[in-house]
């Protein structure tokens, strides 16, 4: 970010060097870049330029760079196809296991098997083990490149071991202590190793209260622990306590980002990660939602159709349809967002299901009463028709209360049933609340018909 | 998380010990907990119990715990009031400067000044310096407890220095190298210190390409750097390159969380951090939005009112109002969410303003055409009235296109004008799109009136 030349100028110059086929200068400049920047440079190239890069860089050097290219980069499959299969296999073997697994998971089974068969047996078996874990679990985001030691040794010997592991381990800032059966028994930070005397025994200074997660735990729970406890990594064990791997804070940041984007997408009824600026691609991703909601909306239209006679008698009723459905939809969206967020952050999800629903219905009654009163006064004065204002106000009160109930009940039920509550999208709730609002509105209107006409 | 007793049981037992006034046993059990758990236990107590905790723990011990109590904990002010002012001052002085500043920022000016005057001069002046930085900048989230060294020394002497700083620094995993004027010139990780020989010179092994942020940079940019580069901390400098502090990854996780919650809140038109289950409090926070939108919605109602005669002639038109406004609102929300997300993640915000708007309008035309065609067929068959279907379909096409334009243009304009684009909330866009949709709908309907009646 600092420095005399901007990063874009450096990329441009590096590209010129690449195009001029100057291997030595290219390598010197390239390795002056941070690996993240190396990745960004690589991603900016065309196929011909990338082909040259494959001849310039070793699989190990390529692996370092691929470790930071975002796993959800859509084109990874294409890049791998450009390389020789043996080059890909060597590169995957050199990557951190968790990242190699993420990359492989984007390929079809046959291609995956091909690369694994070309790999050295040890790397292949490490990767195969991680491939088994279900998506979005601790197992699926953990890495096996951690440092573990046994307790009955000194700080000096532990430090010696650490120096040797430092180049391959993903983090050396926590050292995990295991017994002979590889059961996790303690943890010691590099900070503690440094401040303690070289002759102290690890067993004396390690923390035995080591927090860990199970391999099948949800990645969101792992994220919550790292965030709350300010850890840089947490160990992952199987159900008998054997140490299997670690999850590091950089992976957790990606998880938090991913979950936030998915909650946001849910509320908007669109995949916000949609990166394409191609209108056809964008439209094809948005249309399924729009068309589904259109047909749900048709039921509201059908319902209004049943009251067409009422509307032709009192066309003034048509004036307030969108106001009532719109306001109830806004209130329902508020309830939904609060409920989804509450489900995401609270520890004990089973606490007070009914209390929360009742609280949300009461909130609906209060906001509904205030909003209803406001519209009663405004319509009464505007149209010089207080009975009409009364109908609109009462309809508003009930429509908002029902929308609040739906907005909180639906995500909470989905959570109880084991679905992601964030999938209960905003547009779904507003379209649903259109239906209930119209039903409430016309029923109340026909009850008081004689008073306001 | 592991262990024989659950954490809740441990809290219960600890509470019993506290109530029985057993100082020594309390301290032993309390310090067996992780500081995050200490904080959670403290937060679960009532005032009388907390008063006893203040007599049990030193200001330093209290400070360690307060460092992890979330800064946005509403009741912090209340807790400080319960303690003796001198105890508070000592505690704040012992906290990491960034956290002490966060805590002080929740108090009124007079109370803040009182505590600062009771503090030792050095701590007070460190805190005062950070208090100046604007909210949501790198300066406001940085800490001054970092380790810096000069370049012309050996690894051995650097390690010696590190050992002494290890207990007070917020992280020792990066050591920042400065010149005599305290200008940042390099960085070396503890990993590098450990793998290199004790006699190597720091100047030979440090990285001179040190990434840093300016003290006035937006905290979101700092978050982006730490996330992309997988850093554990970044140094913060003034505009002449003097090292002022560091931002650590744990603070960045809070920033990412905060920004996600605020984007989510914007889309729903409600503060989703609203933690209260009190319906009156919740309603009072949601009503301002609802009432504002209600009055915006009134303009839609007024507009429909101008077409009342049209509706009384063709009451069938009323049937499709909510379908058109609803679908256009859904499309507008999709555009909005995509635009806000794109603004949040992209590096170069100025690139292709018009290209993006045009792409979004084209997406609107395509989705509008498909949705319009669908509704043309459905209405044509359902009502045996293809001219009516045509009117609804064409209105849908234009309403969706305009909603897409508004959904992308408004957040992008807000961003250009220096506002947070996420404030352009979903309910605002849908309410606005109600207005334009109704205008389009009735104008098209009155044009083709004679064909479908």
């Amino acid at each position: 970010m600092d420095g005399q030349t901007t990063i874009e100028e450096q990329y441009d110059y590096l590209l010129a060097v690449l195009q001029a086929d100057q291997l030595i200068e290219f390598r010197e400049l390239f390795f002056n870049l941070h690996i993240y920047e190396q990745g960004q440079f690589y991603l900016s190239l065309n196929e011909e330029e990338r082909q040259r890069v494959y001849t310039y860089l070793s699989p190990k050097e390529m692996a370092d760079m691929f470790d930071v290219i975002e796993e959800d980069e859509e084109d990874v499959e294409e890049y791998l196809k450009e390389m020789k299969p043996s080059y890909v296999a060597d590169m995957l073997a050199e990557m951190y296991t968790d990242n190699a697994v993420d990359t492989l998971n984007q390929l079809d089974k046959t291609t995956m098997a091909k690369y694994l068969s070309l790999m050295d047996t040890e790397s292949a078996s490490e990767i195969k083990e991680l491939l088994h874990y279900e998506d979005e679990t601790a197992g699926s985001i953990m890495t096996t490149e951690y440092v573990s030691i046994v307790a009955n040794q000194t700080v000096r010997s532990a430090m010696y071991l650490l120096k040797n592991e430092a180049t391959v381990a993903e983090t050396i800032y926590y050292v995990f202590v295991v017994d002979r059966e590889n059961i996790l028994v303690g943890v010691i930070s590099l900070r503690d190793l440094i401040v303690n005397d070289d002759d102290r025994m690890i067993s004396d200074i390690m923390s035995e209260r080591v927090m860990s997660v199970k391999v099948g735990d949800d990645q969101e729970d792992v994220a919550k622990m790292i965030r709350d406890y300010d850890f840089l990594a947490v160990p992952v064990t199987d159900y008998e306590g054997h140490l299997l791997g670690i999850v590091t804070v950089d992976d957790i940041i990606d998880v938090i980002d991913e979950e936030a984007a998915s909650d946001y997408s849910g509320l908007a009824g669109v995949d916000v990660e949609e990166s394409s600026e191609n209108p056809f691609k964008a439209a094809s991703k948005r249309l399924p939602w729009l068309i589904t909601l259109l047909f749900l909306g048709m039921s509201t239209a059908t319902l209004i159709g049943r009251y067409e006679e009422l509307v032709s008698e009192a066309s003034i009723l048509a004036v307030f349809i969108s106001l009532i459905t719109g306001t109830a939809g806004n209130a329902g969206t508020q309830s939904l967002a609060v409920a989804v967020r509450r489900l995401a952050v609270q520890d004990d999800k089973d606490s007070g299901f009914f209390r929360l629903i009742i609280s949300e219905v009461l909130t609906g009654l209060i906001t509904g009463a205030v909003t209803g009163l406001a519209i009663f006064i405004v319509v009464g004065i505007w149209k010089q028709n207080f009975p009409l204002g009364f109908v609109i106000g009462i309809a508003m009160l009930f429509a908002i209360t029902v929308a609040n109930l739906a907005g909180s009940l639906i995500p909470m039920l989905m959570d109880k049933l084991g679905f992601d509550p964030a999938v209960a999208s905003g547009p779904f709730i507003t379209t649903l609340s259109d239906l209930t609002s119209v039903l409430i509105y016309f029923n109340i209107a026909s009850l008081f018909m004689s008073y306001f006409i």
Side-chain angles (χ1 to χ4, degrees), chain A:
Chain A
M1 199 155 253
D2 289 312
Q4 283 66 44
T5 53
T6 68
I7 189 73
E8 280 77 22
E9 285 165 0
Q10 293 182 49
Y11 288 166
D12 288 344
Y13 186 65
L14 192 56
L15 180 61
V17 170
L18 179 70
Q19 284 165 340
D21 204 2
Q22 296 175 298
L23 169 66
I24 294 171
E25 189 169 0
F26 177 83
R27 285 180 58 90
E28 191 185 322
L29 289 168
F30 186 77
F31 291 115
N32 255 334
L33 295 176
H34 187 279
I35 44 172
Y36 170 73
E37 294 160 352
Q38 294 174 6
Q40 294 302 305
F41 173 73
Y42 170 78
L43 291 176
S44 75
L45 299 179
N46 64 32
E47 185 178 346
E48 197 185 330
E49 290 153 0
R50 285 195 300 269
Q51 284 294 358
R52 189 163 284 168
V53 172
Y54 305 141
T55 66
Y56 281 14
L57 301 182
S58 73
K60 165 82 180 105
E61 289 157 355
M62 204 67 190
D64 290 344
M65 195 192 80
F66 255 76
D67 267 328
V68 294
I69 292 183
E70 273 300 297
E71 52 173 288
D72 46 21
E73 190 55 55
E74 286 170 18
D75 305 319
V76 161
E77 189 170 355
E78 189 188 316
Y79 300 148
L80 297 190
K81 270 195 201 137
E82 297 168 1
M83 309 176 197
K84 278 191 217 137
S86 62
Y87 187 92
V88 176
D90 289 351
M91 179 183 88
L92 290 169
E94 293 281 2
M95 283 172 71
Y96 287 121
T97 327
D98 53 343
N99 299 330
V101 168
D102 287 340
T103 308
L104 280 169
N105 267 327
Q106 290 171 73
L107 312 176
D108 58 82
K109 296 266 171 218
T110 331
T111 324
M112 197 190 277
K114 179 180 71 183
Y115 293 136
L116 284 172
S117 68
L118 288 167
M119 216 174 278
D120 63 288
T121 343
E122 198 192 320
S123 306
S125 74
E126 262 181 33
I127 289 177
K128 274 182 200 155
E129 223 153 85
L130 288 194
L131 277 172
H132 289 146
Y133 297 114
E134 232 180 304
D135 205 26
E136 311 211 331
T137 61
S140 73
I141 55 169
M142 75 182 183
T143 180
T144 49
E145 282 93 355
Y146 56 86
V147 186
S148 69
I149 56 174
V150 290
N152 63 342
Q153 61 182 315
T154 59
V155 168
R156 183 182 294 107
S157 65
M159 283 298 284
Y160 179 78
L161 206 138
L162 208 57
K163 277 187 203 194
N164 290 326
E165 301 267 358
T167 48
V168 289
E170 191 158 338
T171 180
I172 58 161
Y173 300 136
Y174 292 125
V175 177
F176 300 97
V177 187
V178 292
D179 69 10
R180 283 184 194 180
E181 268 90 49
N182 195 38
I183 289 192
L184 180 68
V185 294
V187 65
I188 185 160
S189 70
L190 179 52
R191 192 194 283 243
D192 291 331
L193 285 176
I194 283 183
V195 296
N196 276 291
D197 276 346
D198 280 354
D199 294 322
R200 288 292 295 270
M201 291 299 287
I202 296 296
S203 50
D204 292 340
I205 56 172
M206 74 180 190
S207 162
E208 284 166 57
R209 278 184 53 87
V210 50
M211 309 279 295
S212 66
V213 294
K214 297 275 180 280
V215 72
D217 284 355
D218 193 303
Q219 61 178 6
E220 271 193 80
D221 296 334
V222 188
K224 196 171 176 328
M225 185 187 282
I226 286 195
R227 184 177 59 203
D228 286 344
Y229 286 84
D230 291 351
F231 288 144
L232 299 179
V234 283
V236 182
T237 68
D238 64 16
Y239 292 87
E240 287 168 327
H242 299 98
L243 184 58
L244 297 177
I246 60 169
V247 176
T248 50
V249 68
D250 54 300
D251 295 322
I252 284 310
I253 290 185
D254 295 339
V255 168
I256 291 174
D257 250 11
E258 222 175 81
E259 301 280 351
S262 118
D263 284 2
Y264 196 71
S265 296
L267 198 57
V270 63
D271 177 10
V272 291
E273 303 286 21
E274 158 197 308
S275 55
S276 166
E277 285 172 25
N278 178 333
F280 286 95
K281 274 196 189 168
S284 72
K285 287 196 177 177
R286 297 186 200 178
L287 272 168
W289 256 113
L290 282 180
I291 297 285
T292 310
L293 292 167
L294 181 74
F295 281 94
L296 190 59
M298 281 301 297
S299 54
T300 308
T302 314
L303 187 69
I304 304 179
R306 291 187 48 199
Y307 293 98
E308 208 185 316
E309 211 173 307
L310 194 71
V311 174
S312 67
E313 270 180 69
S315 55
I316 184 80
L317 286 179
V319 172
F320 296 99
I321 294 177
S322 75
L323 189 69
I324 290 180
T325 57
T327 308
N330 292 339
T333 306
Q334 291 184 330
S335 283
L336 171 69
V338 169
V340 169
R341 178 75 186 172
R342 192 174 278 157
L343 288 169
V345 298
Q346 74 183 357
D347 289 283
D348 183 10
K349 296 198 179 187
D350 295 324
S351 77
F353 182 89
F354 290 104
R355 216 187 51 232
L356 283 172
I357 296 290
I358 289 168
S359 149
E360 203 55 41
V361 169
L362 287 176
T363 307
L365 280 171
I366 298 167
T367 49
V370 175
T371 315
L373 187 66
I375 199 72
F376 163 67
I377 294 169
V378 170
V379 171
I381 293 172
W382 176 35
K383 296 282 173 191
Q384 290 294 316
N385 188 342
F386 281 95
L388 177 67
F390 178 76
V391 166
I392 314 277
I394 291 291
M396 195 71 101
L397 164 63
F398 286 111
I400 287 180
T401 308
V402 172
N404 269 31
L405 175 64
S408 54
L409 188 62
I410 291 177
M412 288 179 71
L413 279 181
M414 289 183 70
D415 186 63
K416 271 230 179 289
L417 296 174
F419 297 104
D420 180 359
V423 178
S425 86
F428 175 72
I429 293 290
T430 51
T431 309
L432 187 71
S433 113
D434 281 357
L435 187 73
T436 57
S437 305
V438 164
L439 193 67
I440 290 167
Y441 177 45
F442 282 114
N443 272 302
I444 292 177
S446 53
L447 266 181
F448 294 92
M449 195 71 180
S450 54
Y451 297 97
F452 65 85
I453 270 188

